[in-house]
Amino acid sequence: AQKITQTQPGMFVQEKEAVTLDCTYDTSDPSYGLFWYKQPSSGEMIFLIYQGSYDQQNATEGRYSLNFQKARKSANLVISASQLGDSAMYFCAMSLSSARQLTFGSGTQLTVLP
Amino acid sequence: DAMVIQNPRYQVTQFGKPVTLSCSQTLNHNVMYWYQQKSSQAPKLLFHYYDKDFNNEADTPDNFQSRRPNTSFCFLDIRSPGLGDAAMYLCATSKGTGGPNEKLFFGSGTQLSVL
């Protein structure tokens, strides 16, 4: 069975600073995908970034980058130049090639301070 | 814009009174999912449809049912809501091409309150 762990229930960051949100995972499946979603207080889940288990390079999407360390089974999200609008809940999630579903971590509540 | 739409945004029901939540999509995706998300918790998959094939998670209570009359619409029926069923219900879709890189597209959710 797969498992996603987010150990930071809450994080604070100063506006314009960078922040790293931690995510570790556990699976015996060699083919998997790792996702980060943002959930503002309004409720919708917004896709941010994806990393495949066989991808050689770390994924980047604008201000978002994923620090993928396969041997350590970690997939941390880095947000550069934080903005007030980045305040939200952030979920790390994993999918397997053998199962059609996403398994979510418990989330990290990020607050950007002016 | 193509999207996943959930109605209503907020739903209030009484203990034991059946309630239906709806989801529609204009993405023409094969797969539709229902997730339950309780306050400050991770979303939990209840079930999903691949086209017309229904896939129930092992620990989804029998109180929860779903219907997918066509590609665009999917409904979540709660037959006898209990206080513990108060939650945000998220509908999502995906293309259904398979593989671990399949991205899910979510609606805005329906916040269910049970009185």
Side-chain angles (χ1 to χ4, degrees):
Chain A
Q2 65 272 25
K3 186 178 180 181
I4 292 277
T5 302
Q6 294 180 254
T7 57
Q8 306 156 314
M11 287 281 287
F12 291 87
V13 64
Q14 209 68 40
E15 194 178 7
K16 300 180 184 178
E17 297 291 314
V19 63
T20 298
L21 306 183
D22 295 341
C23 173
T24 58
Y25 61 92
D26 189 25
T27 180
S28 56
D29 197 318
S31 178
Y32 53 88
L34 296 157
F35 298 77
W36 278 92
Y37 281 84
K38 172 184 177 181
Q39 188 178 40
S41 56
S42 52
E44 76 273 27
M45 298 282 274
I46 303 167
F47 166 78
L48 295 178
I49 197 166
Y50 165 81
Q51 180 83 43
S53 59
Y54 294 119
D55 292 343
Q56 296 297 312
Q57 294 191 336
N58 287 343
T60 60
E61 291 281 353
R63 293 186 299 111
Y64 305 107
S65 61
L66 202 151
N67 184 3
F68 181 47
Q69 298 188 42
K70 195 170 183 178
R72 296 180 62 186
K73 293 190 174 181
S74 72
N76 298 338
L77 176 70
V78 180
I79 305 175
S80 63
S82 297
Q83 302 172 357
L84 295 178
D86 294 335
S87 293
M89 183 71 94
Y90 288 80
F91 288 97
C92 181
M94 179 166 63
S95 67
L96 303 179
S97 59
S98 57
R100 186 176 288 111
Q101 64 165 287
L102 275 182
T103 299
F104 287 86
S106 55
T108 296
Q109 179 68 48
L110 177 67
T111 303
V112 181
L113 303 171
Chain B
D1 290 339
M3 57 176 57
V4 182
I5 303 166
Q6 289 188 246
N7 286 306
R9 182 72 179 87
Y10 298 94
Q11 176 74 56
V12 181
T13 190
Q14 290 180 325
F15 183 93
K17 184 175 181 181
V19 65
T20 296
L21 310 182
S22 71
C23 177
S24 64
Q25 54 130 341
T26 59
L27 297 162
N28 203 32
H29 282 173
N30 287 319
V31 191
M32 295 187 77
Y33 308 79
W34 280 104
Y35 281 84
Q36 179 193 61
Q37 185 181 22
K38 296 189 175 179
S39 183
S40 303
Q41 295 185 19
K44 178 180 178 298
L45 182 65
L46 295 174
F47 26 59
H48 74 274
Y49 272 95
Y50 185 93
D51 196 11
K52 294 182 180 179
D53 293 332
F54 178 70
N55 298 271
N56 198 30
E57 292 301 299
D59 56 355
T60 298
D62 292 339
N63 197 26
F64 291 87
Q65 304 286 324
S66 186
R67 295 171 284 134
R68 189 179 185 186
N70 53 53
T71 301
S72 301
F73 287 88
C74 194
F75 300 98
L76 170 61
D77 300 309
I78 308 176
R79 292 191 298 186
S80 182
L83 298 179
D85 296 328
M88 172 75 85
Y89 290 87
L90 294 165
C91 174
T93 72
S94 68
K95 289 182 180 179
T97 50
N101 62 341
E102 186 151 319
K103 186 169 73 175
L104 268 62
F105 296 78
F106 285 84
S108 298
T110 293
Q111 183 68 50
L112 177 68
S113 299
V114 181
L115 303 180

